[in-house]
Amino acid sequence: MQETRQNRISRLLQKELAIIFQEQTRMMHGIMVSVTRVRISPDLSICTAYLSIFPSDKGDELIANITKNEKAIRFNLGQRVHNQLRIIPELRFFIDDSLDYIEHIDELLKK
């Protein structure tokens, strides 16, 4: 039962974070941020979001900027989901480098 609730809240947070990042990166031409996966703790207090950033060479810079503005993102998220969630979870962001890993494996297989 708890797992179903976690999955539902994870999907909600993923959708809303994707919309927030889409709005914020619209002004920055040539940069795209996708929320690939969101995991939430069993007590719903910590949300871990994995971000795929294009181009990947700006990933570290963008993650540093996102973590610096984490409180503003959490506030924005809270305004969006205040009717669905009573407590807005603490946000943690990490780079999802699975696409880079797949590309590296493809290059190795071509050799």
Side-chain angles (χ1 to χ4, degrees), residues 68-83:
K68 189 172 76 174
N69 296 318
E70 187 175 304
K71 290 185 181 189
I73 295 170
R74 184 178 180 198
F75 178 76
N76 197 350
L77 181 66
Q79 288 182 327
R80 292 177 157 282
V81 298
H82 71 277
N83 291 333

Side-chain angles (χ1 to χ4, degrees), residues 11-67:
R11 285 192 308 267
L12 171 71
L13 293 175
Q14 181 177 4
K15 183 182 108 182
E16 295 300 332
L17 282 172
I19 292 170
I20 289 170
F21 286 126
Q22 183 181 24
E23 290 172 353
Q24 289 182 355
T25 58
R26 186 171 293 148
M27 295 170 255
M28 302 165 54
H29 299 289
I31 295 177
M32 186 172 70
V33 177
S34 302
V35 182
T36 56
R37 190 171 63 221
V38 171
R39 300 201 186 257
I40 191 148
S41 63
D43 63 351
L44 308 177
S45 65
I46 299 172
C47 171
T48 306
Y50 293 91
L51 307 176
S52 177
I53 299 171
F54 180 81
S56 59
D57 58 340
K58 296 189 180 196
D60 294 329
E61 176 188 338
L62 229 52
I63 283 290
N65 191 12
I66 288 170
T67 51

Side-chain angles (χ1 to χ4, degrees), residues 83-97:
N83 291 333
Q84 290 97 346
L85 296 176
R86 192 170 7 141
I87 298 172
I88 307 304
E90 176 186 330
L91 300 175
R92 296 183 182 164
F93 297 103
F94 296 100
I95 294 178
D96 184 12
D97 56 354

